[in-house]
Amino acid sequence: MSHAQLTVRGMEHMRATLEGGVTAVRDCGGKEYIEFAIIAPIRDADNRVTHYLAIKDDITEKKRLGQELDRHRHHLEEIVRLRTRELDEAREQFRVLAENAADVVLMTTDGDVTWVSPTITTLFGWLEEQVIGRKLVDFIHPEDTAR
């Protein structure tokens, strides 16, 4: 397309494309689509713009998929927030129950004691620090571990 043939709308479109690279356009049938374009001026020996070179790509489907992914991501983030809140509430309920239990309650990870209820001191005279970090089997009589 020559510089002289550009319409006002074409110039506006080109300016928007040069500034942002992504624009909403209509094809000759009136259907709107989103395109990514790179437009570069072609100059003559006197450095005057004589033509423009445009490389364009219809990115309508890419944009739609990106928006759909964003909706799914936001939905999943909300689910994670809700589940995290529920987990925090369940942990607090467990903590209150375990700390007020008449029996000793232990939590382990891979056989290591990670938490113990305060009744460990009342029933056995052990401090929590003496139990946490040790293996659970350390507290089981050897004859009982062989079973």
Side-chain angles (χ1 to χ4, degrees):
M1 123 178 35
S2 77
H3 185 66
Q5 294 172 323
L6 291 174
T7 64
V8 173
R9 182 178 168 154
M11 288 296 288
E12 289 171 357
H13 172 69
M14 188 177 301
R15 187 177 4 268
T17 302
L18 288 168
E19 291 171 359
V22 176
T23 56
V25 294
R26 291 189 188 275
D27 63 15
C28 56
K31 181 181 175 192
E32 190 170 292
Y33 65 97
I34 301 169
E35 78 177 13
F36 173 78
I38 299 171
I39 301 175
I42 298 177
R43 300 177 185 275
D44 64 12
D46 297 325
N47 204 27
R48 288 181 304 199
V49 175
T50 60
H51 295 78
Y52 289 92
L53 172 66
I55 301 171
K56 300 178 178 188
D57 186 22
D58 180 348
I59 61 168
T60 307
E61 184 65 8
K62 290 177 189 174
K63 291 291 262 184
R64 187 192 67 75
L65 290 173
Q67 291 167 345
E68 185 176 340
L69 284 172
D70 282 344
R71 281 192 304 276
H72 288 295
R73 180 177 51 83
H74 292 302
H75 177 70
L76 288 173
E77 287 172 351
E78 181 59 26
I79 290 171
V80 168
R81 274 192 293 278
L82 290 171
R83 296 300 184 261
T84 300
R85 187 173 67 230
E86 291 170 357
L87 181 59
D88 289 343
E89 291 169 1
R91 283 182 178 152
E92 179 59 18
Q93 291 171 351
F94 171 79
R95 185 191 64 74
V96 169
L97 177 67
E99 286 181 355
N100 293 298
D103 296 322
V104 173
V105 179
L106 297 167
M107 287 180 52
T108 64
T109 301
D110 297 325
D112 296 328
V113 178
T114 57
W115 184 87
V116 63
S117 62
T119 53
I120 195 83
T121 305
T122 308
L123 295 177
F124 297 105
W126 297 329
L127 298 175
E128 293 173 35
E129 301 84 46
Q130 293 174 298
V131 178
I132 295 174
R134 293 180 59 189
K135 294 283 184 195
L136 181 60
V137 295
D138 293 347
F139 301 98
I140 301 172
H141 192 276
E143 291 177 10
D144 293 330
T145 59
R147 292 184 207 173

